[in-house]
Amino acid sequence: VIEIRFNEPAPADLAALLPATYQNDVGVLKPLGFPVRFLLERLLPDGSTDIVADFRETDYLCTGIEPQIFPCPDSRPTAGIKITATKLATNPLWWDWTHVMAMSEILVFSGERNVALNANVVTRNPKLFGYVWSPKALTDGFSLFSHVSGKFRDPLDDFHTFSGKVVLDYDLGEVLRVDEFR
């Protein structure tokens, strides 16, 4: 169970779960660790929950690396989002465990605003997930590409390169007014 608790309630209308990825033997990006069965819920300010997506009885086959979009039934005020995985994905090759749950990023939108920004992550046992789901891994709601160790002297935690520097190029696909960088 993973909960992302927003700093303040907001009318959430869409949740986007971005699969983590790995490159297979022929260089094709594949999803890594997207749960096969899960329950996605909104946490409401009064402590109750509202089901956004229920795949506890049927498999959700995430075959691509595109964001998995889950519209919320109405845009009622939401205090957070909760993902309960009931069947994890099989480890494709190199993870320490036979099954894994990972996502590249989790976004929850209220209109155009990501209300998961700077949210708190709560897990039943953060050590079970290693660094991936720990609160220190958080940037935009959650990002697998955040600086997870806090040790700025060890830059090889996330990106490995044989050159003198790493350049990450994010193509937004359109011209946007940027009001924040992380």
Side-chain angles (χ1 to χ4, degrees), residues 99-141:
H99 291 79
V100 63
M101 178 172 161
M103 294 193 194
S104 177
E105 202 162 358
I106 297 173
L107 309 172
V108 181
F109 291 100
S110 178
E112 294 183 3
R113 187 169 69 104
N114 175 16
V115 295
L117 198 66
N118 298 319
N120 292 314
V121 170
V122 178
T123 65
R124 300 294 181 263
N125 182 359
K127 292 186 180 191
L128 183 67
F129 297 101
Y131 70 85
V132 174
W133 290 109
S134 71
K136 64 185 175 182
L138 223 101
T139 55
D140 296 351

Side-chain angles (χ1 to χ4, degrees), residues 45-138:
D46 65 4
S48 64
T49 60
D50 179 36
I51 294 176
V52 174
D54 188 351
F55 288 93
R56 291 177 291 181
E57 301 299 323
T58 58
D59 288 356
Y60 182 90
L61 300 178
C62 178
T63 57
I65 63 170
E66 301 80 18
Q68 304 300 298
I69 304 296
F70 300 95
C72 298
D74 56 41
S75 26
R76 69 174 68 170
T78 303
I81 197 154
K82 179 179 177 181
I83 302 166
T84 304
T86 57
K87 182 178 179 184
L88 298 179
T90 304
N91 175 12
L93 37 131
W94 37 260
W95 206 271
D96 288 341
W97 301 284
T98 57
H99 291 79
V100 63
M101 178 172 161
M103 294 193 194
S104 177
E105 202 162 358
I106 297 173
L107 309 172
V108 181
F109 291 100
S110 178
E112 294 183 3
R113 187 169 69 104
N114 175 16
V115 295
L117 198 66
N118 298 319
N120 292 314
V121 170
V122 178
T123 65
R124 300 294 181 263
N125 182 359
K127 292 186 180 191
L128 183 67
F129 297 101
Y131 70 85
V132 174
W133 290 109
S134 71
K136 64 185 175 182
L138 223 101

